[in-house]
Amino acid sequence: MYGKIQKHLQKELESIKEAGLFKEERIITSPQGAEIELDTGEKVLNFCANNYLGLSNHPSLIEAAKEGLDTRGYGLSSVRFICGTQDLHKKLEKKIAEFFGTEDSILYAACFDANGGVFEPLLTSEDAIISDSLNHASIIDGVRLCKAQRYRYKNADMADLEEKLKIAQDQRFRVIVTDAVFSMDGNVAPMDKILELAEKYDALVMIDEAHSAGVVGKTGRGITELFDIRGKVEIITGTLGKSFGGAIGGFTTGKKEIIELLRQRSRPYLFSNSLPPAVVNAGIKMFDMMAETHELQDKLHDNTRYFMDKMKNAGFDIKPTQSAIIAVMLCDAKLSQDFAARMLEEGIYVIGFYYPVVPKGEARIRVQISAAHEKEHIDKCIDAFIKVGKDLYLIK
Ligand SMILES: *Cc1c(COP(=O)(O)O)cnc(C)c1O
């Protein structure tokens, strides 16, 4: 039985390798942090994690996770609406809404599920979803699961969005959907203009805060803080798996009727297990920390500025960014791979991206800055960029 498809799969795998797109996994033997240890015994500085606030191995979160284990056990063995809701889940949902200045929130196993389960309960074939072309895969999948008419506008292109909104005027409801921060460039969605258009053409707005929450805005409240539009966006999705501790978990937060209906109808919520108490209790602790101080955001923003300035001065071509994602443009696919390999030899872990992950001719090294980085880490990273850049004739 298996023989025929086995040959087919082997061929498929071969073609991925031939295209140079086969993804290998690097094995880490330490906790996540600014410095990590690999199974080769090498110690490297990590500049490619979504650990923006340095919370992935934070003692307070580890302690809160242990407290969750000790007081509420290991797992729930249930979905939320049967016997999988603890006081902790309700508390975390409330904290998320407070953080974003929204009315209510609902937890998911991941942001992938939040995005996968948000459209279908709210919209039908009478409605329209108007989505940025660079939106995350989970948004694209969520849109596919829903019968609404689909429109795609060019990344952050407001003239194109307006075109699509005009075409979609015949539909009952319209939702504009965008990532808050686009993960390959680090640019933010132009929320001021998006809200203007939403008003003009009678549309709801949904944003995915995954790379933005915790990072963007003076106190890390995300893109709605940056644009001073707290409470004005109807739907926000986000993850606990990036700046917020990096374990697992996602959420949708926004208008209360929307959240209430998701609790009734959203399939990844209804038919998938509750988040474990350790993760939930650490999440609560994390939002308490965010409410107390924005020291981590200050440090992250300082680090990002410092890195950007020094890299530009050294002659590197850097994309404009408003997040902790910095794209160092190399433009050549092979160069991006050689460059990343040479950086690792210098003890710096960064990833080179090229087509089809980014447009043709826009190969780059993506650097992710963290509040866990000290100045000496960042200096070491910049020095390595300069050394490798000179060796590979990229800069003088
Ligand atoms: C990472 C990411 C997700 C997925 O989050 P998980 O919680 O890991 O499933 C969704 N949307 C965007 C924009 C992301 O960057």
Side-chain angles (χ1 to χ4, degrees), residues 50 109-113 115 135-139 179-181 183 208-211 237-242 248-250:
N50 302 316
C111 186
F112 206 104
D113 289 326
N115 287 332
N135 279 344
H136 190 260
S138 55
I139 294 179
D179 282 5
V181 166
S183 65
D208 179 337
E209 273 281 339
H211 282 283
T237 59
T239 180
L240 302 176
K242 292 189 170 109
I248 192 84

Side-chain angles (χ1 to χ4, degrees), residues 339-387:
F339 206 107
R342 287 288 310 276
M343 290 293 283
L344 196 65
E345 286 168 20
E346 299 296 322
I348 306 293
Y349 189 13
V350 287
I351 305 282
F353 290 96
Y354 57 99
Y355 182 80
V357 180
V358 295
K360 272 208 171 100
E362 290 194 27
R364 67 195 63 185
I365 300 273
R366 180 177 74 172
V367 177
Q368 292 174 284
I369 302 292
S370 170
H373 292 136
E374 301 302 335
K375 278 271 148 55
E376 73 227 40
H377 297 141
I378 298 178
D379 281 333
K380 202 174 158 206
C381 179
I382 296 163
D383 289 345
F385 262 107
I386 292 173
K387 179 164 181 237

Side-chain angles (χ1 to χ4, degrees), residues 264-323:
Q264 299 305 312
R265 299 246 177 96
S266 180
R267 293 164 71 84
Y269 181 80
L270 290 171
F271 301 113
S272 188
N273 204 33
S274 290
L275 281 177
V279 168
V280 179
N281 208 46
I284 293 168
K285 176 69 192 173
M286 186 278 305
F287 281 110
D288 285 345
M289 286 164 63
M290 297 292 107
E292 265 164 38
T293 160
H294 51 86
E295 274 168 27
L296 291 176
Q297 280 80 17
D298 291 347
K299 189 171 170 198
L300 176 62
H301 297 156
D302 277 350
N303 281 351
T304 307
R305 253 192 313 270
Y306 181 80
F307 181 82
M308 287 278 285
D309 289 347
K310 290 237 160 164
M311 287 290 286
K312 278 188 188 161
N313 284 342
F316 284 99
D317 176 13
I318 311 275
K319 281 234 181 194
T321 181
Q322 288 131 305
S323 65

